Amino acid sequence: GVCIGWKTHSNESNYIFGPVGIACVTPCNGSERNFFDGHHDQFHNGDVISIVSHIDPRPDDAEEENFKNNYAVIDIIRLDRDSEGKEVQTIVRTEKIGPPNVENRKSENIKVTVSWDDPTKHHLINITSSVAEYPMSLNLMAMKEISLSQQSVLIAALIMILVYLFILLEWIHRTLVAIFGSMVALFFFFLMHGSETESIRTVMLHQEWSTLGLLFGMMLIVGELSHTGIFEWFAVRLLVSSKGSFRRLLMLLSLLTAITSAFLDNVTTMLLLAPVTIDMCNILQVDPRPYLISEAILSNIGGAATQIGDPPNIIIGASFDEVGFVDFIINIMPCVFIIAIPVSLALMLWVYNPYMVMKKMVDIDSNKLKAAYPIYDEPRLYIAGTTTFFVILLFFLHPVHHKDTAWIAL
């Protein structure tokens, strides 16, 4: 690696997260190290040079004042020849990155449009510190792109809009739509980067594996619980507890959905409770839509209370090491259960009040209903229930063991 105390590598071009550039400590001489990816250092007017940089944090013993106004100065230099045939370096563009952060690496991406004379000649990049006596450690890579890359944000937005449009139209299965959209995005990436593709390893690492692992693990656990009859058992008890009141039944089912979604994942919870709710409404001879919509809304709200209840929360927890399961419990759960859930329940009862008073609940034989929906696999329930208990306990103990929640769930 590189000396002077910086945490970097001498060459990270084959690093697990794909090409991140060549490491250097300023000043860096481009004639000795070619910072252009694939040595593509000849251009045409209108081409785009994407400069990706990762600046290491300043050394631990460095004073903040010395680095506060210190920038890495990037000079793009065209190599010319004078009348005698000697090499002449001409600076055609200068960019600045930095200053370095105190603790973490700082990443920047600059796009430079080629608009200078004789761009077809060879180029190099020199990097210096704006304050020469305080060198900086960084990784840098310059990639040649076509002018289409200037519209990359617009293209990505259009692809996403089209994907959502086809999902809403339901002409094609939404899974196929999402996969096809990702293939279109990779195709435009291929066009923008001069007909070069990322490695399969790099493409696979674009996925949130921690999020997928946590969802997969929790879905397996909930799947095991679903084969014991526990959810139907709870639903029947709630129906009996409603004592002939549709309003009370809606509140109880919605609360069950919200609490279960907070600790078991809202998507899987709805997949399991929705069929039970429909069966229950068929028994009562009522429209299931008010109950299903209330459960869907409360499932999203309840899932937002914990790190594992909602995919966005899972992504946030996976992206920041300093944000753990307990942080969601302390900072979000009180707002969800004290404010969001009561307000949502009141709104659902107000919106669907006509459905609640339209007819009286039919008489049901509670004993017969309980007998029809028993817990039919108690040994499996003990195993799955015990597993669920210890998984959630380990989630709460995250500040102690600091293990990824995905590993715990799996």
Side-chain angles (χ1 to χ4, degrees):
V2 179
C3 321
I4 356 181
W6 277 290
K7 301 172 183 177
T8 186
H9 301 273
S10 59
N11 186 336
E12 293 188 323
S13 59
N14 293 314
Y15 192 60
I16 189 170
F17 295 111
V20 296
I22 305 298
C24 72
V25 176
T26 56
C28 309
N29 191 339
S31 61
E32 298 175 359
R33 317 184 75 175
N34 194 319
F35 291 99
F36 289 101
D37 184 38
H39 292 196
H40 297 305
D41 56 1
Q42 295 172 283
F43 312 100
H44 296 89
N45 279 320
D47 285 347
V48 175
I49 303 174
S50 176
I51 301 175
V52 180
S53 62
H54 307 278
I55 308 173
D56 290 335
R58 66 172 189 260
D60 297 334
D61 56 351
E63 296 182 9
E64 181 180 359
E65 196 65 30
N66 297 335
F67 279 83
K68 187 168 63 175
N69 298 313
N70 194 14
Y71 294 83
V73 181
I74 302 171
D75 291 324
I76 300 178
I77 297 172
R78 185 184 66 227
L79 300 179
D80 298 317
R81 296 285 178 180
D82 60 13
S83 56
E84 298 179 359
K86 294 181 180 179
E87 185 180 276
V88 177
Q89 297 186 358
T90 306
I91 298 176
V92 293
R93 188 67 175 262
T94 298
E95 298 286 344
K96 289 183 178 180
I97 55 173
N101 286 332
V102 178
E103 296 180 355
N104 303 314
R105 257 188 172 186
K106 184 176 185 179
S107 299
E108 296 188 26
N109 189 356
I110 302 170
K111 290 188 180 291
V112 177
T113 302
V114 176
S115 59
W116 50 82
D117 296 334
D118 298 327
T120 56
K121 294 183 177 180
H122 288 282
H123 294 73
L124 57 83
I125 290 177
N126 283 346
I127 312 169
T128 56
S129 296
S130 57
V131 183
E133 56 267 33
Y134 299 113
M136 297 171 60
S137 171
L138 68 140
N139 289 65
L140 187 133
M141 177 175 61
M143 294 174 285
K144 177 183 176 182
E145 300 175 353
I146 62 174
S147 57
L148 185 66
S149 65
Q150 293 283 47
Q151 310 300 326
S152 58
V153 175
L154 177 61
I155 292 170
L158 288 174
I159 293 173
M160 182 169 287
I161 291 171
L162 288 173
V163 166
Y164 275 110
L165 179 62
F166 277 96
I167 289 175
L168 291 172
L169 293 174
E170 295 186 343
W171 291 344
I172 309 172
H173 194 281
R174 57 183 177 272
T175 304
L176 295 176
V177 173
I179 292 174
F180 183 73
S182 67
M183 294 297 104
V184 172
L186 286 173
F187 173 71
F188 275 101
F189 182 91
F190 169 79
L191 290 180
M192 292 176 190
H193 289 78
S195 301
E196 291 189 4
T197 59
E198 289 186 315
S199 66
I200 293 297
R201 179 183 62 180
T202 305
V203 171
M204 294 299 289
L205 285 168
H206 291 325
Q207 301 181 62
E208 282 285 349
W209 286 108
S210 182
T211 302
L212 294 174
L214 181 54
L215 283 172
F216 180 69
M218 295 308 297
M219 283 184 176
L220 285 179
I221 292 172
V222 176
E224 283 297 300
L225 288 171
S226 69
H227 287 91
T228 65
I230 186 65
F231 294 103
E232 294 87 345
W233 186 89
F234 267 118
V236 167
R237 266 64 186 173
L238 293 180
L239 174 58
V240 173
S241 301
S242 66
K243 298 178 180 179
S245 171
F246 288 114
R247 295 169 64 89
R248 191 179 292 117
L249 178 62
L250 184 142
M251 290 178 60
L252 291 173
L253 285 175
S254 299
L255 283 172
L256 172 65
T257 306
I259 295 171
T260 308
S261 297
F263 295 99
L264 293 179
D265 165 44
N266 58 359
V267 177
T268 313
T269 299
M270 277 305 301
L271 287 174
L272 295 171
L273 288 180
V276 178
T277 302
I278 294 172
D279 289 342
M280 192 180 302
C281 290
N282 289 336
I283 294 172
L284 299 174
Q285 301 174 15
V286 294
D287 189 347
R289 288 177 295 179
Y291 304 93
L292 291 174
I293 293 173
S294 299
E295 287 176 1
I297 292 174
L298 269 295
S299 175
N300 280 290
I301 294 173
T306 65
Q307 181 186 346
I308 62 172
D310 208 19
N313 290 14
I314 297 173
I315 294 172
I316 292 171
S319 302
F320 300 96
D321 293 335
E322 60 271 22
V323 178
F325 185 84
V326 177
D327 296 302
F328 282 91
I329 297 292
I330 295 173
N331 296 288
I332 299 180
M333 183 174 278
C335 299
V336 169
F337 280 91
I338 296 174
I339 301 174
I341 289 180
V343 170
S344 300
L345 278 175
L347 181 62
M348 292 298 100
L349 291 172
W350 177 71
V351 170
Y352 293 114
N353 185 61
Y355 290 88
M356 305 293 108
V357 297
M358 188 179 297
K359 58 182 292 188
K360 290 185 65 177
M361 186 179 290
V362 297
D363 293 330
I364 55 174
D365 187 338
S366 59
N367 292 327
K368 185 178 180 180
L369 198 60
K370 289 179 181 178
Y373 292 95
I375 293 176
Y376 45 80
D377 195 341
E378 290 190 5
R380 198 172 191 173
L381 176 60
Y382 292 143
I383 296 172
T386 304
T387 302
T388 304
F389 170 78
F390 280 106
V391 165
I392 295 175
L393 178 63
L394 287 172
F395 285 157
F396 275 101
L397 293 176
H398 181 265
V400 178
H401 55 68
H402 301 289
K403 298 300 181 183
D404 195 327
T405 51
W407 286 113
I408 297 172
L410 290 170

